[in-house]
């Protein structure tokens, strides 16, 4: 991690100016569609994770709402003096990358909420720069959000650890990061118009995960798979009844005592298949053994 979270700056005129470029779809349409599906799941998991990182959203009765996936969508113009904050995540020895970006409105809201403000002033926009205290707190917060993104990527896209660097991007800066192909999702903060947290991920990294999913789907569609699945043992349980007794009574149980079940002798017996309720039946004797005769299928 960089010691100085704002050690270099880059243009924030649009999301395209923060290093994302249009994705070349030649011959890759199917993979990109699958990658977009993966990023949708990542964004949903990321939004859930932010409830722990940004607890003030709970008392604001707000939440993060992911929008649809876009292909390097340049986003809205931030204006001449607007500030944005970005956490750039990069794998060591690899090309995979991801990014979390806060526009000035979301950054102002997060700073206000994290400092314990009870009543909102309604205007969360910031000026062209941050105070030293704001820089320290916002750097810590966006790194926490990047951890939420990494956790979502680990679960939904099987991506490993990444290093994090944080950058502020005033519009009048001259420094630009390398151009990268990416997919993005805008996550809107409810109740705060214009407040957006954007997550972006390298398309190729998501495509690699999607290809694995595709191979699995093809294997499941193989006719031979259906034959193999039929030989898998499945546990079938017929439940005669249940009874709940206190621990004192359990400790006092002795041989010869009778436990009364909640079911009557003519009540139907529940039959579970692989832990799911599937049938009902009645107890019978078949060839000298206790058995269950299936009488109905649940849902019929």
């Amino acid at each position: 991690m960089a010691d100085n979270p704002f050690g270099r700056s880059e243009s924030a005129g649009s999301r395209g100016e923060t290093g994302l470029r249009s994705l070349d779809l030649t011959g890759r349409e199917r993979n990109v569609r699958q990658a977009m599906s993966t990023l949708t799941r990542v964004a949903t998991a990321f939004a859930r994770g932010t409830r722990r990182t940004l607890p003030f959203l709970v008392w604001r009765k707000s939440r993060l709402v992911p929008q649809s996936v876009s292909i390097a969508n340049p986003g809205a113009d931030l204006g001449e003096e607007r500030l944005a904050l970005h956490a750039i995540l990069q794998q060591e020895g690899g090309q995979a990358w991801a990014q979390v970006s806060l526009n000035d409105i979301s950054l102002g809201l997060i700073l206000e909420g994290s400092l314990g403000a009870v009543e909102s002033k309604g205007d969360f926009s910031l000026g062209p720069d941050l105070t030293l205290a704001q820089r320290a707190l916002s750097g810590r917060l966006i790194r926490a959000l990047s951890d939420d993104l990494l956790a979502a990527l680990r679960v939904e896209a099987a991506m490993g650890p990444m290093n994090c660097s944080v950058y502020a991007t005033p519009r009048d800066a001259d420094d630009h990061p390398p151009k990268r192909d990416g997919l993005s999702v805008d996550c809107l903060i409810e109740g705060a118009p214009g407040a957006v947290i954007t997550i972006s991920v390298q398309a190729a990294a998501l495509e690699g995960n999607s290809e694995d999913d595709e191979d699995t789907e093809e294997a499941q569609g193989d006719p031979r798979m259906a034959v193999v699945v039929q030989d898998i043992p499945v546990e079938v349980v017929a439940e005669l009844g249940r009874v709940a007794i206190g621990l004192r009574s359990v400790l006092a149980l002795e041989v010869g005592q009778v436990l009364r079940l909640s079911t009557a002798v003519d009540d139907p017996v529940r039959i579970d298949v692989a832990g799911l309720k599937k049938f009902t039946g009645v107890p019978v004797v078949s060839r000298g053994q206790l058995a269950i005769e299936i009488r109905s299928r649940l849902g019929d």
Side-chain angles (χ1 to χ4, degrees):
M1 287 187 183
D3 293 332
N4 180 7
F6 308 104
R8 59 182 268 210
S9 61
E10 52 197 44
S11 174
S14 68
R15 192 169 28 199
E17 294 175 356
T18 63
L20 300 184
R21 66 181 178 189
S22 297
L23 190 64
D24 181 7
L25 296 181
T26 307
R28 298 170 56 189
E29 291 86 350
R30 182 175 182 181
N31 287 342
V32 171
R33 285 197 298 270
Q34 292 172 335
M36 293 174 74
S37 176
T38 300
L39 185 54
T40 298
R41 298 195 304 271
V42 169
T44 301
F46 171 75
R48 288 197 302 265
T50 58
R51 296 174 187 173
R52 297 184 298 271
T53 303
L54 307 175
F56 66 89
L57 292 180
V58 176
W59 57 257
R60 283 183 59 89
K61 297 182 180 179
S62 181
R63 61 191 177 107
L64 216 56
V65 183
Q67 305 301 293
S68 58
V69 178
S70 61
I71 301 175
N73 185 349
D77 193 347
L78 295 176
E80 291 294 334
E81 300 297 334
R82 294 294 179 87
L83 182 72
L85 191 62
H86 311 275
I88 313 297
L89 305 169
Q90 187 80 40
Q91 280 187 340
E92 278 190 28
Q95 298 300 317
W97 61 267
Q99 178 174 311
V100 180
S101 299
L102 306 177
N103 67 357
D104 68 317
I105 300 177
S106 63
L107 181 55
L109 170 63
I110 290 172
L111 286 174
E112 180 181 281
S114 299
L115 291 173
V118 177
E119 294 185 1
S120 172
K121 61 183 181 181
D123 180 15
F124 306 108
S125 58
L126 299 172
D129 204 355
L130 296 174
T131 66
L132 290 177
Q134 286 175 328
R135 291 189 180 195
L137 179 56
S138 60
R140 182 181 303 174
L141 289 169
I142 198 169
R143 283 193 173 93
L145 290 172
S146 71
D147 289 340
D148 293 333
L149 177 56
L150 281 174
L153 288 169
R154 187 180 305 115
V155 173
E156 301 295 343
M159 293 178 66
M162 295 183 176
N163 294 323
C164 176
S165 299
V166 178
Y167 303 96
T169 58
R171 183 172 172 77
D172 58 354
D174 297 324
D175 194 19
H176 294 268
K179 294 293 184 179
R180 301 177 301 238
D181 291 337
L183 298 176
S184 300
V185 175
D186 285 338
C187 300
L188 309 184
I189 301 179
E190 279 187 339
V196 180
I197 299 177
T198 302
I199 61 173
S200 307
V201 184
Q202 181 194 28
L206 296 172
E207 289 172 20
N209 178 264
S210 298
E211 288 169 2
D212 293 340
D213 294 341
E214 182 180 356
D215 293 341
T216 301
E217 290 174 2
E218 290 178 356
Q220 291 175 343
D222 191 328
R224 294 170 296 179
M225 181 64 69
V227 176
V228 173
V229 168
Q230 292 178 8
D231 293 331
I232 297 176
V234 177
E235 185 179 51
V236 178
V237 176
E239 184 178 292
L240 295 176
R242 296 189 182 190
V243 61
I245 60 177
L247 179 59
R248 185 187 306 275
S249 299
V250 171
L251 296 176
L253 285 176
E254 296 180 355
V255 176
Q257 284 187 275
V258 175
L259 294 178
R260 288 181 171 273
L261 302 178
S262 58
T263 52
V265 292
D266 55 350
D267 283 346
V269 173
R270 165 178 153 179
I271 303 172
D272 293 355
V273 179
L276 300 176
K277 292 192 290 185
K278 290 294 185 181
F279 304 97
T280 59
V282 294
V284 297
V285 176
S286 176
R287 299 180 182 177
Q289 290 182 305
L290 184 62
I292 299 293
E293 179 182 327
I294 296 176
R295 291 290 178 89
S296 66
R297 180 194 297 268
L298 294 179
D300 290 351

